[in-house]
Amino acid sequence: MPKAREVAKRVFAKEFNASSLAFKESDDQFAPAYVLTPTGAKCNRIFIVGTLTEKENIGEEQESWRARVTDPTGAFVLYASQFSPEAAQSLSDLEAPEFVAVIGKPRVYKTQEGEVLVSVRPEAVLPVDEETRDQWVLDTINATADRLVALKEGTEPDAKKALEYYHTDIKEYKEMLLTALKSLKQMEVSVVSAR
């Protein structure tokens, strides 16, 4: 029987880019790999919606795309190649700037100098409208707020692990949520004034 796919977590770019804890829960080579974020989101897959701001074909022999997708808190870096042909094809067809929804696998890479780089290997990239992006921002605010409550209470295992590893500053992430919320309000104002 095929295993059910993991639920894709909603995470803002600022939090995702601060993530550095990657792990597996068993030694089995097929065990899922996770990235734990500072608010305790245990991600095997993530769901992001934002603006595709740039893309570049970095492949030599065959197409391999590097792209940036921004949300109100920062930018995600995406890499799509022959391992994700549908996502690579989608990226080649899209024009920046454009709203996109992305489901993908989080990747953490440590350089020889010890620098931690995070990126997303997309499984799917689809064009979406502004309403979908705004809804994602709201849903991600709510999901992150729930994780912040779990962090404060310290009862949930992933929250405990995140707090021990990152020493998460809850205030910093509350401010991130306010930034995201303000971006929605600014959009509403510009839509109303455009009418």
Side-chain angles (χ1 to χ4, degrees), residues 35-55:
V35 171
L36 188 70
T37 71
T39 67
K42 182 175 143 191
C43 309
N44 171 258
R45 300 163 78 227
I46 64 170
F47 173 52
I48 57 180
V49 180
T51 307
L52 174 68
T53 55
E54 57 187 79
K55 63 173 197 173

Side-chain angles (χ1 to χ4, degrees), residues 151-172:
L151 270 187
K152 222 172 183 174
E153 292 172 354
T155 51
E156 213 257 315
D158 294 331
K160 273 183 171 165
K161 194 172 180 176
L163 213 47
E164 282 166 19
Y165 182 82
Y166 293 106
H167 309 289
T168 309
D169 179 354
I170 293 174
K171 194 166 144 271
E172 180 188 346

Side-chain angles (χ1 to χ4, degrees), residues 141 175 177-188:
I141 288 171
E175 283 166 12
L177 297 186
L178 285 173
T179 300
L181 199 56
K182 278 182 194 151
S183 78
L184 287 180
K185 287 197 169 69
Q186 284 165 350
M187 283 170 221
E188 282 170 25

Side-chain angles (χ1 to χ4, degrees), residues 6-18:
E6 301 252 352
V7 172
K9 302 283 173 75
R10 288 170 163 83
V11 182
F12 282 118
K14 177 183 166 72
E15 178 177 1
F16 181 72
N17 291 328

Side-chain angles (χ1 to χ4, degrees), residues 144-154:
T144 309
D146 289 347
R147 293 195 298 271
L148 289 177
V149 169
L151 270 187
K152 222 172 183 174
E153 292 172 354

Side-chain angles (χ1 to χ4, degrees), residues 15-138:
E15 178 177 1
F16 181 72
N17 291 328
S19 304
S20 58
L21 180 57
F23 63 95
K24 286 185 167 194
E25 293 183 323
S26 81
D27 295 334
D28 178 355
Q29 69 177 56
F30 299 110
Y34 295 97
V35 171
L36 188 70
T37 71
T39 67
K42 182 175 143 191
C43 309
N44 171 258
R45 300 163 78 227
I46 64 170
F47 173 52
I48 57 180
V49 180
T51 307
L52 174 68
T53 55
E54 57 187 79
K55 63 173 197 173
E56 181 187 1
N57 184 359
I58 55 171
E60 286 172 17
E61 302 291 306
Q62 55 207 49
E63 283 194 353
S64 183
W65 292 91
R66 178 176 56 215
R68 284 170 65 86
V69 173
T70 62
D71 72 13
T73 72
F76 296 91
V77 176
L78 276 55
Y79 288 99
S81 60
Q82 76 271 21
F83 299 112
S84 46
E86 293 93 352
Q89 184 59 54
S90 292
L91 280 172
S92 77
D93 294 342
L94 290 163
E95 286 303 321
E98 187 165 357
F99 293 127
V100 292
V102 180
I103 290 182
K105 296 271 191 188
R107 293 278 171 253
V108 172
Y109 174 74
K110 284 194 172 74
T111 65
Q112 286 178 323
E113 295 77 36
E115 191 188 352
V116 176
L117 305 172
V118 289
S119 62
V120 179
R121 196 177 79 207
E123 298 169 350
V125 182
L126 302 164
V128 293
D129 58 18
E130 189 173 4
E131 208 176 308
T132 303
R133 192 273 315 266
D134 291 355
Q135 188 59 55
W136 177 86
V137 170
L138 265 181

